[in-house]
């Protein structure tokens, strides 16, 4: 299989190389230049890494790369843009619990937890990719605070103590989301300044 990276042929790889060997070589080449693989087509068909690794044939693989710095900046911008929606959602959910609209609140809480999970994953990936020096104790405190707030919410929900859930959302979960947002902002700021 012939391999192309950002439109340029990669002749160093033998045509007999396996999909795994190709993927490892492309990723290593990308990492050396501060890039990551963002797209892959084999014989004109878009696919993900898992599908590529399952291939047993193909004539040409075209890889697209992007700078890690750009991906980190874009991810941080997306997460920071989402945080205000998450805050409003948590406030709305607390209000629904206070008004006795528990089924609506529970449904929205599930969506909010998915959004929080997505935001936390972006934060973790960006700190790992950029090797930012946010103090480990601070990172641990954010994770621990979120985990404690979520565990408390689960316990209160199990006991159907909905007014207390509203209070926990506002006084326990939101402050931890604010701490997460502050660190996302610090990471974004460090990405915006020339290095």
């Amino acid at each position: 299989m012939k391999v192309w990276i950002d439109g340029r042929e990669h002749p160093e790889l033998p045509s007999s190389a396996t999909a795994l060997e190709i993927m490892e070589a492309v990723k290593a080449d990308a990492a050396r230049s501060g890039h990551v693989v963002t797209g892959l087509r084999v014989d004109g068909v878009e696919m993900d890494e898992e599908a590529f690794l399952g291939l047993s044939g193909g004539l040409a693989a075209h890889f697209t790369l992007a700078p890690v710095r750009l991906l980190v900046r874009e991810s941080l911008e997306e997460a920071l843009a989402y945080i205000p929606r998450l805050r409003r959602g948590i406030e709305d959910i607390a209000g629904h619990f206070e008004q006795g609209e528990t089924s609506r609140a529970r449904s929205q809480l599930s969506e909010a937890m998915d959004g929080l999970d997505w935001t936390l994953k972006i934060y973790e990936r960006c700190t790992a990719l950029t090797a930012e020096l946010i103090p480990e104790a601070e990172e641990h405190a954010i994770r621990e605070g979120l985990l404690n707030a979520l565990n408390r919410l689960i316990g209160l929900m199990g006991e159907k103590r909905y007014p207390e859930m509203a209070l926990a959302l506002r006084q326990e979960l939101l402050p931890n989301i604010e701490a997460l947002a502050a660190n996302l902002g610090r990471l974004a700021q460090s990405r915006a300044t020339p290095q």
Side-chain angles (χ1 to χ4, degrees), residues 20-58:
L20 178 61
E21 292 168 333
I22 292 170
M23 184 58 76
E24 287 175 348
V26 170
K27 282 184 171 183
D29 188 49
R32 279 192 293 278
S33 64
H35 289 72
V36 292
V37 175
T38 57
L40 168 59
R41 284 182 296 113
V42 176
D43 299 338
V45 177
E46 292 279 335
M47 61 181 58
D48 62 12
E49 182 177 339
E50 186 178 335
F52 178 74
L53 293 175
L55 280 180
S56 59

Side-chain angles (χ1 to χ4, degrees), residues 23-189:
M23 184 58 76
E24 287 175 348
V26 170
K27 282 184 171 183
D29 188 49
R32 279 192 293 278
S33 64
H35 289 72
V36 292
V37 175
T38 57
L40 168 59
R41 284 182 296 113
V42 176
D43 299 338
V45 177
E46 292 279 335
M47 61 181 58
D48 62 12
E49 182 177 339
E50 186 178 335
F52 178 74
L53 293 175
L55 280 180
S56 59
L59 299 175
H62 293 265
F63 291 85
T64 305
L65 306 181
V68 169
R69 184 181 185 100
L70 175 66
L71 292 177
V72 167
R73 188 177 72 231
E74 289 174 353
S75 296
L76 288 169
E77 287 171 1
E78 280 182 56
L80 284 168
Y82 176 71
I83 290 285
R85 285 182 44 211
L86 182 60
R87 282 186 201 117
R88 283 190 305 274
I90 298 292
E91 284 289 346
D92 287 348
I93 293 163
H96 293 310
F97 277 127
E98 288 167 341
Q99 295 167 8
E101 301 169 351
T102 57
S103 63
R104 185 173 183 186
R106 290 170 66 126
S107 171
Q108 288 179 344
L109 183 59
S110 176
E111 292 174 24
M113 292 308 103
D114 289 343
L116 177 58
D117 183 55
W118 173 81
T119 307
L120 191 54
K121 284 180 181 170
I122 286 179
Y123 173 69
E124 290 171 347
R125 287 181 185 141
C126 288
T127 54
L129 284 173
T130 59
E132 290 298 329
L133 296 177
I134 289 180
E136 188 175 327
E138 192 174 328
E139 281 192 47
H140 179 73
I142 288 173
R143 283 190 194 93
E144 194 69 25
L146 286 168
L147 183 61
N148 288 342
L150 294 173
N151 284 333
R152 177 145 161 72
L153 285 167
I154 290 168
L156 292 170
M157 186 176 288
E159 297 171 10
K160 299 182 181 187
R161 295 166 55 189
Y162 302 122
E164 290 176 60
M165 283 187 71
L167 196 60
L169 285 165
R170 288 193 174 109
Q171 293 183 353
E172 296 175 36
L173 187 59
L174 277 177
N176 285 291
I177 289 173
E178 292 300 328
L180 176 62
N183 275 3
L184 284 166
R186 284 172 51 195
L187 287 174
Q189 186 64 30

